Amino acid sequence: MTHFAVEPLYGSVWLAMIASVAVVAVIVWVTPPTDDPAKRKWLIVLRSVAALVLLLAATRPTLVRTDNRPAPAALVITVDTSRSMTLPDGDGGDRWTSQKDALARLLSGVATVDEMLEVHLLNYDSVSNSLGQAQNQDSIRQLADLIAKAEPVGDETDLGRAVQGAIDSAAGKPLAGVVMFGDGTQTAIADAGDNNINQLAAARRGAEVLQALGVPLWTVPIGPPSTDASARDVAVTNLPDSFQLFAGNQFDVSLTVQASGLANRQIPVTVSWIASDGTKTEARTRQVDPRGANETIAMTIPMKAPAAGVYRLEVTAAAQEGEWVTGNNSQTAFVHVREGGGRILILEGPGRPEQTALRRSLGGFPDLEISHAPIRGDRTWPVPLESVLQPGAYDIFVIGDLDSSAIGAAQLKLIADRVAAGAGLITMGGFQTYGTGGYADGPLADVLPIKMDASRRRQPTRSVLSPAELDARSKSQLPGPIKIELARDHPIVDLGGQNSAAVWSSLPELSGANRFVGPKVATGVQVLLQTPDEQPLLVVGGYGKGRVASLAIDETYRWRRVGKADVHQRFWRQLMLWLMSREETGGDSVIAEIDLRRFESDQQPEFRARLQSLGGETSAISLTASVVDSGGKETPLDVTASAGDHPAISGRIPKLEPGFYDLVVRCSDPTIQSDKVAFQVTETSRELARPMADPVYMKQLADLTARHGGASFDPQQIDELVETIAQKRRSAETPVIEKNRLGDGPKSGWLVFTLFAGALSAEWFLRRRWGMA
């Protein structure tokens, strides 16, 4: 509305009129008479014009315009740039495209709402960032180009930061409202917790702050809610990350299949071998048949180890129709299949120090798998052992200080058969071994490389010995102290080349040993260790396709107690390798280990490596570690050297991108082969693990500001959202009065000055010309 008004000086119209009359009277009075009346008229006219100009300026005529306009304010728009926006939107497209289209329509609409509205555009994932701001129509529409250059790559969604970022972006300017796009699924986890409850509460607190400020929150959920039809997913979990196997072994693959929204559907689960050259071979296929909407099914799939080598074992559940996320449909385990045997079974009573030390020394070697079958008492003899004595179950059998009746003739015959077929056998010294233990006339009499005397038999149930039994014991035992001497060179007893004899002589004396009747006279039978008076302590030989070693002692654990653990370890490993016909593989080696072989990209598991030395000087040897990716790029790792008898290092795997890698540990001694451990870095995105949108939560946040017009809108309702924003702006309109006074502006001021100065100048010019000045 526009109208004219006068605003005279001092606010009085009468004062202005009196001043006008007075001015006219003064002009007439002070204008002197002239000879020509016309000249006097011109002077009066010019002076009157100047006076009227002054009087007009004094009355200040004003053009008044009154209008209702909204106050300047900011509209903040936040868009979701997390990875979940790459998922389907439920209408045949992806959420990212749907969000960009809806945003473009919103910006086009709000650009015409009013000129006082400033639009701020933000993006959010785990943090919130400003993309830009604009106020005029063209620049507001251009904001859509900014989001077109962004990519949905955020690994988490934090709705609380989105709301707080919107509040902070106003920077003190009044907020017209906040528009929040997104799927509404909170995936960011609190720093001090293991769930997202704190973050959800933060989003609610942000909405409550908007409510207190009188600012509406308008949400635009993108993506479908969770339903039985849309939440279809199958995942393979709980597969062990590694296996250590021997060629031809039977083993079980245990895993779990989690199925959601796939009730009464048969899902194929395939187990495949992936060789080091990338060749993939399907080995087994099983079906799972979930009955409920959400079901977890445990599976055990029997498998047979392939030929020796390094493999990846991949278990894959077939992708199902309507399944959005398929990255969790498979899991991979790393498998090292070793040549030959390596499975050792110890038959011994419980708690014997010799078998404990033996297991400790050999347990550090990944190519040896040790099992212990403790045999207690004598009431249940013979102990049933048929399951562990089956062909191929074990490669070496160790019989400790154990009476033959504990095993039984039938099972001893099975052991003899296994040795004849290629297994190894070790018999230890003790009070109930060899002839004393009843082995002289049993199935092992032909197997062992020593002669035995059946007359030395002592029944294990007798606590008080008869004179004959005491005599038999004295004949079967060598009294201590007993010093061990090297009888001949052999890979088993090689403890340092030319120094082997000195090493054996340095070992602690034994408190006793079995007195062998003597070694058999047969091809391959050799005495390797003996006493100073040439009583045999270690005799080796062969039986069928297998190898056999008979020890007269069972106190090698004493070596470890006097600081000779490396000698103990080397001797027993070399003996095991010889029994498996693998003595050429003995020697120093590097052994690397990782706490996890399959882990997420935000984890940094620890690794360790050590030099497994069987003798010799190692103080000058050092180890280094690096990570090699699938493309062959090698990255050195920081390591910490560990104190000990042999070189050892430790460190952590750095953060890596998802993929397959190798940990490579090298030795400064080029004659010692490096070790390599494969591992996998898996995808960690919680965004893709929770594919369903949560429009209900988005609506709940908007409803917290419903008193001020907050609401939730579907992407197809952008026009309604624009109209809601326009109505909110109209409700915030206030009267705005604009006054244009004569003389206030530069144009009208110069006009008044020009008229006044021109009239006076003309009057002075005429008076001077007429000789009146």
Side-chain angles (χ1 to χ4, degrees):
M1 182 177 65
T2 303
H3 65 280
F4 288 96
V6 291
E7 296 182 356
L9 293 175
Y10 305 110
S12 174
V13 177
W14 289 104
L15 180 61
M17 293 177 64
I18 292 172
S20 299
V21 172
V23 169
V24 171
V26 169
I27 291 172
V28 173
W29 181 62
V30 300
T31 302
T34 60
D35 297 335
D36 187 352
K39 294 180 179 178
R40 188 170 186 271
K41 290 181 181 179
W42 277 108
L43 293 177
I44 291 175
V45 168
L46 291 173
R47 290 181 178 181
S48 297
V49 169
L52 288 175
V53 170
L54 287 178
L55 290 174
L56 186 65
T59 58
R60 296 194 300 180
T62 304
L63 178 64
V64 180
R65 181 163 53 193
T66 303
D67 195 7
N68 290 327
R69 297 180 185 177
L75 174 68
V76 182
I77 303 174
T78 65
V79 293
D80 189 346
T81 53
S82 65
R83 296 186 64 183
S84 64
M85 300 308 289
T86 62
L87 296 171
D89 62 359
D91 294 324
D94 62 80
R95 299 177 193 178
W96 181 245
T97 301
S98 296
Q99 179 177 246
K100 289 195 297 182
D101 292 344
L103 175 64
R105 287 186 281 121
L106 175 64
L107 292 174
S108 179
V110 299
T112 60
V113 169
D114 65 71
E115 296 179 353
M116 306 305 293
L117 183 64
E118 185 175 82
V119 177
H120 294 208
L121 183 62
L122 281 69
N123 74 298
Y124 69 92
D125 37 55
S126 60
V127 295
S128 179
N129 297 298
S130 174
L131 294 177
Q133 59 189 52
Q135 189 163 358
N136 60 65
Q137 293 188 19
D138 292 337
S139 59
I140 289 177
R141 291 189 177 97
Q142 290 172 0
L143 288 177
D145 296 335
L146 297 177
I147 197 64
K149 298 177 182 178
E151 294 292 337
V153 295
D155 286 328
E156 294 179 333
T157 298
D158 193 335
L159 300 175
R161 289 187 182 271
V163 178
Q164 187 60 48
I167 297 173
D168 295 342
S169 71
K173 181 174 290 189
L175 274 171
V178 175
V179 180
M180 185 164 69
F181 288 86
D183 55 25
T185 301
Q186 173 76 32
T187 58
I189 294 179
D191 293 338
D194 57 358
N195 53 55
N196 61 359
I197 294 177
N198 291 340
Q199 259 62 16
L200 288 173
R204 292 183 62 87
R205 286 195 297 270
E208 290 168 354
V209 170
L210 292 177
Q211 161 68 19
L213 295 174
V215 177
L217 173 63
W218 298 299
T219 59
V220 183
I222 307 293
S226 178
T227 63
D228 288 343
S230 62
R232 292 174 179 169
D233 185 61
V234 58
V236 175
T237 61
N238 297 327
L239 177 70
D241 63 3
S242 63
F243 292 91
Q244 294 282 346
L245 306 173
F246 295 99
N249 274 15
Q250 297 289 333
F251 71 103
D252 291 334
V253 176
S254 299
L255 60 125
T256 301
V257 176
Q258 297 176 342
S260 301
L262 297 169
N264 300 316
R265 287 194 178 196
Q266 287 195 339
I267 303 172
V269 177
T270 303
V271 183
S272 303
W273 292 107
I274 302 177
S276 56
D277 62 357
T279 303
K280 186 173 182 178
T281 305
E282 290 189 5
R284 292 282 189 278
T285 299
R286 295 289 186 273
Q287 301 281 342
V288 294
D289 188 7
R291 298 298 181 182
N294 293 281
E295 193 164 341
T296 300
I297 303 170
M299 298 184 68
T300 299
I301 302 175
M303 298 284 293
K304 182 178 181 180
V310 177
Y311 299 85
R312 295 204 305 264
L313 185 143
E314 183 182 81
V315 180
T316 303
Q320 301 299 298
E321 182 182 357
E323 186 180 6
W324 289 354
V325 179
T326 58
N328 57 359
N329 285 42
S330 66
Q331 273 196 332
T332 300
F334 297 92
V335 183
H336 190 179
V337 182
R338 302 180 185 277
E339 191 69 57
R343 295 149 298 183
I344 304 169
L345 177 65
I346 302 175
L347 303 175
E348 175 69 283
R352 301 286 176 83
E354 184 72 348
Q355 65 91 6
T356 301
L358 178 59
R359 295 174 67 187
R360 186 173 299 172
S361 284
L362 298 182
F365 294 99
D367 56 347
L368 297 177
E369 178 184 335
I370 303 174
S371 300
H372 177 218
I375 298 178
R376 299 174 173 85
D378 59 3
R379 297 182 180 179
T380 58
W381 288 0
V383 175
L385 299 170
E386 289 86 352
S387 61
V388 296
L389 298 180
Q390 294 301 311
Y394 287 93
D395 305 287
I396 299 175
F397 299 94
V398 180
I399 301 177
D401 190 1
L402 194 64
D403 194 88
S404 62
S405 58
I407 303 175
Q411 295 181 142
L412 288 172
K413 177 63 168 61
L414 289 177
I415 293 177
D417 293 342
R418 300 293 85 81
V419 176
L425 173 64
I426 300 174
T427 53
M428 303 289 294
F431 290 116
Q432 290 300 135
T433 60
Y434 303 114
T436 308
Y439 291 91
D441 53 3
L444 295 187
D446 295 333
V447 177
L448 301 186
I450 61 170
K451 301 173 184 177
M452 292 182 286
D453 185 358
S455 65
R456 297 181 179 181
R457 175 68 166 132
R458 172 182 174 265
Q459 295 299 324
T461 57
R462 295 287 300 276
S463 58
V464 179
L465 302 181
S466 66
E469 290 175 328
L470 287 173
D471 181 63
R473 167 174 283 191
S474 65
K475 291 180 180 180
S476 64
Q477 296 292 318
L478 294 171
I482 298 173
K483 191 175 185 62
I484 302 175
E485 289 188 354
L486 184 64
R488 64 182 300 161
D489 292 332
H490 192 276
I492 294 175
V493 293
D494 180 8
L495 298 183
Q498 295 179 354
N499 298 322
S500 287
V503 175
W504 281 108
S505 298
S506 68
L507 295 177
E509 296 178 337
L510 305 177
S511 62
N514 288 82
R515 187 191 303 272
F516 288 158
V517 176
K520 290 179 178 177
V521 180
T523 303
V525 174
Q526 303 176 74
V527 178
L528 304 184
L529 297 175
Q530 62 185 14
T531 66
D533 56 359
E534 298 186 353
Q535 287 288 337
L537 297 178
L538 171 59
V539 183
V540 298
Y543 179 77
K545 296 181 179 180
R547 292 180 174 182
V548 186
S550 292
L551 281 160
I553 58 177
D554 66 348
E555 292 181 332
T556 63
Y557 66 88
R558 293 176 180 269
W559 306 348
R560 297 181 62 91
R561 294 182 177 179
V562 296
K564 299 287 187 178
D566 56 337
V567 174
H568 186 270
Q569 186 180 64
R570 179 165 183 166
F571 166 72
W572 279 106
R573 176 170 171 80
Q574 291 177 167
L575 176 55
M576 298 300 175
L577 294 175
W578 178 83
L579 289 168
M580 295 185 293
S581 301
R582 289 170 52 197
E583 58 268 29
E584 69 281 357
T585 63
D588 294 351
S589 61
V590 175
I591 297 177
E593 300 171 330
I594 306 180
D595 286 345
L596 299 171
R597 300 285 296 275
R598 183 180 63 243
F599 54 90
E600 297 179 344
S601 57
D602 58 355
Q603 293 180 282
Q604 295 179 272
E606 185 176 355
F607 69 87
R608 293 166 299 281
R610 67 185 188 279
L611 177 63
Q612 187 72 65
S613 177
L614 300 179
E617 179 60 40
T618 61
S619 59
I621 297 177
S622 61
L623 301 177
T624 59
S626 60
V627 166
V628 182
D629 63 19
S630 57
K633 180 181 178 182
E634 185 166 351
T635 304
L637 300 180
D638 294 329
V639 299
T640 301
S642 304
D645 295 335
H646 301 298
I649 59 173
S650 62
R652 289 194 176 275
I653 301 294
K655 289 187 177 181
L656 299 169
E657 293 297 318
F660 290 96
Y661 297 85
D662 288 324
L663 169 67
V664 180
V665 179
R666 294 185 175 90
C667 183
S668 59
D669 185 345
T671 63
I672 300 176
Q673 187 175 3
S674 62
D675 194 17
K676 181 171 64 175
V677 180
F679 63 92
Q680 180 188 15
V681 181
T682 60
E683 179 60 65
T684 61
S685 176
R686 299 184 184 93
E687 292 291 299
L688 302 183
R690 299 180 60 187
M692 296 299 105
D694 194 350
V696 174
Y697 186 64
M698 294 282 276
K699 185 178 186 304
Q700 289 174 349
L701 291 177
D703 288 345
L704 290 174
T705 64
R707 184 186 305 176
H708 304 292
S712 184
F713 294 86
D714 187 85
Q716 307 304 320
Q717 298 175 314
I718 295 299
D719 292 340
E720 288 87 337
L721 174 57
V722 172
E723 179 59 29
T724 300
I725 295 173
Q727 289 179 359
K728 180 67 177 178
R729 293 293 289 157
R730 286 193 291 270
S731 67
E733 289 179 348
T734 56
V736 177
I737 300 175
E738 292 183 356
K739 295 182 178 180
N740 293 317
R741 296 187 184 93
L742 180 65
D744 282 357
K747 292 182 179 180
S748 61
W750 277 105
L751 177 62
V752 170
F753 175 77
T754 300
L755 291 175
F756 177 76
L760 291 181
S761 298
E763 189 267 349
W764 179 83
F765 175 78
L766 291 176
R767 285 194 297 115
R768 184 175 179 82
R769 183 176 181 181
W770 294 334
M772 299 174 64

